[in-house]
Amino acid sequence: MKKGGYLIVLSVILIVLTVKSAAANGLSWATDKPEPEKQWAPMSGVLKNAYTISQMADNPIVNLKGAIDICNNYIKEHSNDTDRIVDAYVILSESYFNLGEFHNNDSKRLSYYEQGEKEADVLIKLAPDRWDGWFWWSANAGRISQLKGILSSILLLGSFKKHIFMAQKLAPNSPLVLDGLGVMYRQLPWIAGGDKHKSEAYLKKALAIDPHNTLARLDLSITLLEMDKKAEAIKELNKIVNEKHPAWNAHYLQWDKPKAEALLKNIADYKALLDRWHMLM
C-alpha cells in the first residue's frame, strides 16, 4: 500500500474511534450568567500592567512581546509562589496565541501557538480549577491543528476535546469557550461528531452573551456560509465591519475586521480564502 493509502486508512480508523465519545457530547449551559473574562484583572500591580499592555491595539506585536517579558521576569522573581505566578501564565498563554494571530508567516505563527500551548499546560498544572488554562490550551492547539492539516487535527482531537469540555465545565457561559466549541463542531467531520447546527447554536449563544465578540461573529459567519446561508452570513460580516465597540479590540483590528472585509469582497470564493487562512478543514 502506498504512503497516501496508509494515511487515509489511519485517518478513517482515528475518526471512527472518536465517533462514540463525540456523539455523547451535546449542548449544555449550566447557568444564565456569563463568565466575566473581560473584567478579569491580575491581583499583582506588575501583572495588571502587563495585561493592559498585552491588550493594546497600537503596535500589538511589540506590546505583546513586552508583556511576555514582564511576565517571564515576574515568574523568575516569584518562582516559589504559585499563587503569584498563575496570573502570569494566563497572560502568557493568551499573548502567545495573539502573536500567532497577528503574524502572517505560518512558521512563526506555529511557533507562537506551540509556545502558547506550553504556557497553558503549565497553567493547568498550577491551577486545574481555573478555566483559563484549559481554554487557552484548546485555542492554541486548535490553531496548530489548522496549520498542520487534517491528520494532525484527528491526532489532536482527543486532547482538544478533553480541554475544551473541561473549560466548558468550569466556565459554561464564557463567550470564548462557546466560540471554541462552535468552531470545533463546524470543523469536525460529521463521522467524528461534526454538526454545523450545533456550531451555529454555540456561536449564537456566545453572541447572545456578548454581542460585541467579533471573533464569535466571524466564526458564525463562516458556519453560516458552510450551511449555504449566504444572506445571513453577509449580515453578520457587515456587523463586524461596522462594530463600534469590539470586545477584543486588538484582535478585532488585526484579525476579525480584515477577514470580514475580505470575505465580503470575495464571498463567492470564500472557501479559497478560508483555505489560505487555514480555517477550512
Side-chain angles (χ1 to χ4, degrees), residues 33-271:
K33 295 181 180 179
E35 292 297 317
E37 64 255 22
K38 287 197 297 178
Q39 286 74 45
W40 175 80
M43 295 181 65
S44 159
V46 173
L47 294 180
K48 281 182 182 178
N49 183 48
Y51 187 63
T52 298
I53 292 170
S54 76
Q55 299 297 305
M56 289 180 176
D58 294 332
N59 299 315
I61 291 177
V62 172
N63 291 331
L64 287 165
K65 290 181 177 179
I68 287 169
D69 286 342
I70 293 172
C71 289
N72 283 328
N73 288 332
Y74 189 87
I75 290 168
K76 289 177 183 178
E77 293 172 5
H78 303 89
S79 58
N80 295 321
D81 191 337
T82 299
D83 291 338
R84 284 179 176 264
I85 64 175
V86 164
D87 286 342
Y89 282 104
V90 175
I91 299 168
L92 286 172
S93 53
E94 178 180 348
S95 293
Y96 278 113
F97 175 82
N98 281 330
L99 279 174
E101 301 284 88
F102 301 163
H103 268 281
N104 293 321
N105 181 281
D106 284 349
S107 62
K108 285 186 177 180
R109 292 182 66 206
L110 183 61
S111 68
Y112 286 132
Y113 292 135
E114 288 175 338
Q115 188 62 40
E117 181 185 74
K118 290 177 184 177
E119 304 293 354
D121 198 45
V122 176
L123 173 55
I124 291 168
K125 291 173 182 174
L126 291 174
D129 59 339
R130 288 187 59 157
W131 70 276
D132 319 59
W134 298 98
F135 170 74
W136 287 115
W137 191 98
S138 68
N140 281 289
R143 290 291 196 244
I144 291 168
S145 67
Q146 288 174 339
L147 284 165
K148 288 189 173 181
I150 184 65
L151 183 58
S152 176
S153 299
I154 294 168
L155 293 172
L156 274 172
L157 181 56
S159 294
F160 178 87
K161 286 171 61 180
K162 171 187 173 182
H163 286 77
I164 193 67
F165 286 131
M166 180 58 75
Q168 182 190 22
K169 179 180 178 180
L170 295 170
N173 286 289
S174 163
L176 289 173
V177 175
L178 292 168
D179 174 65
L181 288 163
V183 173
M184 180 190 75
Y185 280 113
R186 182 182 72 238
Q187 294 197 323
L188 280 178
W190 69 268
I191 197 171
D195 186 329
K196 291 183 175 61
H197 294 286
K198 277 188 178 182
S199 173
E200 181 182 12
Y202 272 115
L203 293 166
K204 286 185 174 178
K205 178 68 174 181
L207 289 167
I209 292 170
D210 185 357
H212 302 291
N213 189 313
T214 50
L215 175 58
R217 197 172 297 282
L218 177 64
D219 288 326
L220 174 60
S221 303
I222 296 170
T223 292
L224 292 170
L225 287 170
E226 290 287 275
M227 297 173 75
D228 294 323
K229 296 182 179 181
K230 181 178 176 181
E232 291 182 46
I234 289 173
K235 287 181 181 179
E236 298 299 333
L237 291 169
N238 278 312
K239 287 180 182 178
I240 296 168
V241 173
N242 296 311
E243 176 63 60
K244 302 300 181 186
H245 304 288
W248 200 359
N249 195 40
H251 199 278
Y252 170 72
L253 293 173
Q254 299 292 321
W255 181 277
D256 310 332
K257 186 178 180 180
K259 284 177 168 48
E261 290 173 335
L263 285 169
L264 284 168
K265 290 179 181 178
N266 300 277
I267 200 76
D269 199 22
Y270 78 91
K271 284 185 180 290

